[in-house]
Amino acid sequence: MSENRQTPQKTGGSTVVETAADTTNTGGAGAEPRSALDRFFHISERGSSVGTEIRAGVVTFFAMAYIVLLNPLIIGTGEDSTGHALGIPQVAAVTALVAGVMTILFGLIANYPFGIATGLGLNTLVAVTLVSTEGLTWEEAMGLVVIDGIIIVILAVSGFRSAVFAAIPPSMKAAIGVGIGLFIAMIGFVDSGFVRRIPDAAMTTVPVQLGNGGSIAAWPTFVFILGLVICGFMVVRNIPGGLFIGIVLNTIIALIVEAITHSGSSADSPTGWSLAVPSMPNALGGIPDLSLVGAVDIVGAFSRIGVISASLLVFTLVLANFFDAMGTMTALGKQAQLSNEDGVLPDMKKALVVEGVGAIVGGAGSASSATVYVDSSAGIADGARTGLANIVTGLLFLAAMFFTPLYEVVPIEAAAPVLVVVGALMMMQITEIQWGEFYIALPAFLTIVTMPFTYSIANGIGVGFIAFSLMALFAGKAKDVHWLMWLISGLFVVFFTIDPIMAAIG
């Protein structure tokens, strides 16, 4: 049996926590490969085992599976300027298809345990900005997403994306990791109902509250809290596959609670389940509707709103996509102990090219841009170290197209505790930041807090980069800042002021 345990590990002068695979199966990191599968994925070399990778791949799937339910609600219901809506079943099918194909492709080529699926934030940008505000059709909006992906791939092939990674100071890389940790913990708190948005009708300046009206007396929230205790116990006691076991136990508890309480959906009651209501499926699904695949118009947006306006929208997509992926891969690589001392992954260029293809495939499939998923940290925390875990995750996404009710059994409240636990583990990178130097401390702090507060990795990176460049200038250290940091900071200024720029050009 393989075992995962939290062990202190010295890396780059600071202590971090590594989820290490038991050497019973693997023979330890750098052990002699035992099979063709082992040699292809470097499983023993990275201190893992086939069993660990399979189990962790399942954990990653359940941590990411909510996107198949959520993406249709974001881009599947709204009508474009022609009155056309993509449709919830159709978007669910292509979301699972794109996630499955790209996650498997990333595992085979990049050999990292980073799942890929439709990017949250990017899909909202498509639905709200491109379609609702700018008046594009869904086909035209997805055409811009494809163009965004092509540009991202070109930037990766040219080496520009890798150069940007290398130009980021170590303290900012650590801040990105910590910020993402807080971000995914916030996702867990909000999705579980433990933290909720206060309705505007309350006329208060406080944006969020504990539970429902300050009360956490709701059965789904109870399941989350109990699940958090269970997952915390698993990690503290170094239980092999603890997070996987936690999700299974949380799901069983959720099924029992719903059978007794009949809490229902949050659409019907504020104390109901957030997305999926846990219940055993009555059917196994059916043939998925993939009619949206290929429904794109590459040039339509340029004729509808003009070349300049369409180009600015593409710029917005590229910058958001570029830095969402950059931040996520930086954090996941450090968490999995796969990065070098500078926080850079080996074969980074290859991974960035495949990730860029995700935007092309996502747009072509009408699922919106697909990118590396921060929720992959759940599988990494359970021992994933290679692309084999991705193969498992991807296959489960493909199966989800046909067996939709099966993944709906697991409510987000059962998986959310894992996100909070992983967020706590990622906070350990905070010791790598030089808090004694204020010109470093302020940008790092702004990076960390902006991500969860704005629900955007790209926003946190942008604010942090701008602040770092300015603070270095004020400290008389402008020459120490890489020219790419100055360039990216300038681009983010444009990114944050894109609305008035577009308004000025009509």
Side-chain angles (χ1 to χ4, degrees):
M1 173 183 293
S2 71
E3 176 182 351
N4 294 320
R5 58 172 66 91
Q6 302 293 328
T7 56
Q9 174 84 11
K10 283 286 185 179
T11 302
S14 62
T15 302
V16 296
V17 170
E18 177 182 8
T19 307
D22 192 324
T23 58
T24 303
N25 279 345
T26 66
E32 189 70 26
R34 301 181 178 181
S35 67
L37 187 68
D38 194 335
R39 291 193 297 273
F40 182 84
F41 288 106
H42 306 286
I43 298 172
S44 297
E45 181 182 327
R46 296 184 183 179
S48 186
S49 68
V50 172
T52 297
E53 295 297 309
I54 292 174
R55 184 192 66 225
V58 176
V59 171
T60 296
F61 170 75
F62 282 116
M64 293 175 60
Y66 68 88
I67 191 59
V68 185
L69 297 172
L70 187 56
N71 197 38
L73 299 179
I74 295 175
I75 69 172
T77 58
E79 296 182 351
D80 60 21
S81 57
T82 66
H84 170 61
L86 295 179
I88 288 180
Q90 293 84 352
V91 173
V94 294
T95 299
L97 174 65
V98 170
V101 170
M102 287 309 308
T103 298
I104 291 173
L105 190 65
F106 193 86
L108 288 174
I109 297 177
N111 194 25
Y112 291 123
F114 307 163
I116 293 183
T118 299
L120 284 175
L122 293 170
N123 55 1
T124 304
L125 179 62
V126 170
V128 175
T129 302
L130 273 62
V131 176
S132 296
T133 303
E134 296 300 327
L136 299 180
T137 66
W138 285 109
E139 292 81 1
E140 292 164 350
M142 294 303 171
L144 293 187
V145 172
V146 172
I147 294 174
D148 154 50
I150 293 172
I151 294 174
I152 290 290
V153 169
I154 292 173
L155 292 175
V157 171
S158 68
F160 180 78
R161 293 188 79 182
S162 300
V164 171
F165 270 79
I168 302 172
S171 61
M172 291 301 294
K173 288 177 180 174
I176 290 170
V178 174
I180 289 177
L182 287 180
F183 178 41
I184 63 174
M186 177 66 84
I187 292 174
F189 282 131
V190 172
D191 287 352
S192 68
F194 189 80
V195 173
R196 296 175 185 252
R197 179 178 180 272
I198 297 178
D200 295 335
M203 299 298 289
T204 176
T205 57
V206 181
V208 294
Q209 62 185 348
L210 179 68
N212 185 33
S215 171
I216 55 175
W219 286 111
T221 307
F222 164 76
V223 171
F224 164 75
I225 295 172
L226 185 57
L228 187 57
V229 173
I230 292 172
C231 290
F233 170 81
M234 295 290 178
V235 174
V236 169
R237 300 299 298 177
N238 302 321
I239 304 297
L243 296 181
F244 174 76
I245 296 172
I247 290 178
V248 173
L249 291 177
N250 297 346
T251 301
I252 294 172
I253 293 170
L255 288 167
I256 295 172
V257 167
E258 175 58 21
I260 296 173
T261 66
H262 303 289
S263 297
S265 172
S266 59
D268 303 318
S269 169
T271 58
W273 302 90
S274 179
L275 289 175
V277 177
S279 62
M280 295 306 295
N282 297 320
L284 293 181
I287 303 300
D289 183 349
L290 300 176
S291 58
L292 294 178
V293 175
V296 296
D297 184 347
I298 301 293
V299 299
F302 293 89
S303 59
R304 182 179 295 274
I305 62 175
V307 174
I308 295 178
S309 294
S311 299
L312 286 173
L313 291 176
V314 171
F315 168 80
T316 303
L317 285 170
V318 169
L319 210 61
N321 201 341
F322 187 109
F323 286 99
D324 266 359
M326 187 198 73
T328 302
M329 291 177 67
T330 298
L332 295 179
K334 289 174 70 68
Q335 181 195 3
Q337 295 290 290
L338 298 175
S339 304
N340 61 24
E341 292 184 357
D342 296 322
V344 178
L345 286 164
D347 293 326
M348 172 69 79
K349 184 176 180 179
K350 184 189 302 181
L352 292 173
V353 171
V354 180
E355 189 279 332
V357 172
I360 300 175
V361 174
S366 298
S368 183
S369 180
T371 186
V372 172
Y373 242 58
V374 68
D375 306 79
S376 306
S377 56
I380 291 173
D382 208 49
R385 291 296 178 270
T386 75
L388 179 58
N390 260 34
I391 306 303
V392 175
T393 303
L395 289 175
L396 288 173
F397 268 117
L398 294 180
M401 293 192 298
F402 301 91
F403 302 101
T404 300
L406 292 182
Y407 68 81
E408 289 182 347
V409 171
V410 182
I412 190 63
E413 289 84 355
V418 175
L419 300 182
V420 176
V421 168
V422 171
L425 294 175
M426 294 179 72
M427 280 293 297
M428 296 179 184
Q429 299 178 43
I430 202 167
T431 58
E432 300 176 27
I433 301 171
Q434 297 173 269
W435 294 106
E437 298 284 353
F438 189 73
Y439 81 94
I440 293 176
L442 180 60
F445 173 76
L446 292 175
T447 299
I448 291 169
V449 299
T450 301
M451 287 185 189
F453 287 166
T454 66
Y455 250 58
S456 170
I457 296 171
N459 285 349
I461 293 175
V463 170
F465 278 22
I466 294 172
F468 184 86
S469 299
L470 289 176
M471 291 302 105
L473 177 64
F474 299 158
K477 299 179 180 294
K479 292 183 179 180
D480 296 336
V481 180
H482 197 284
W483 69 268
L484 279 173
M485 287 290 290
W486 289 106
L487 173 63
I488 300 303
S489 297
L491 292 175
F492 266 114
V493 170
V494 177
F495 176 76
F496 290 134
T497 57
I498 196 70
D499 287 340
I501 290 175
M502 293 189 69
I505 66 175

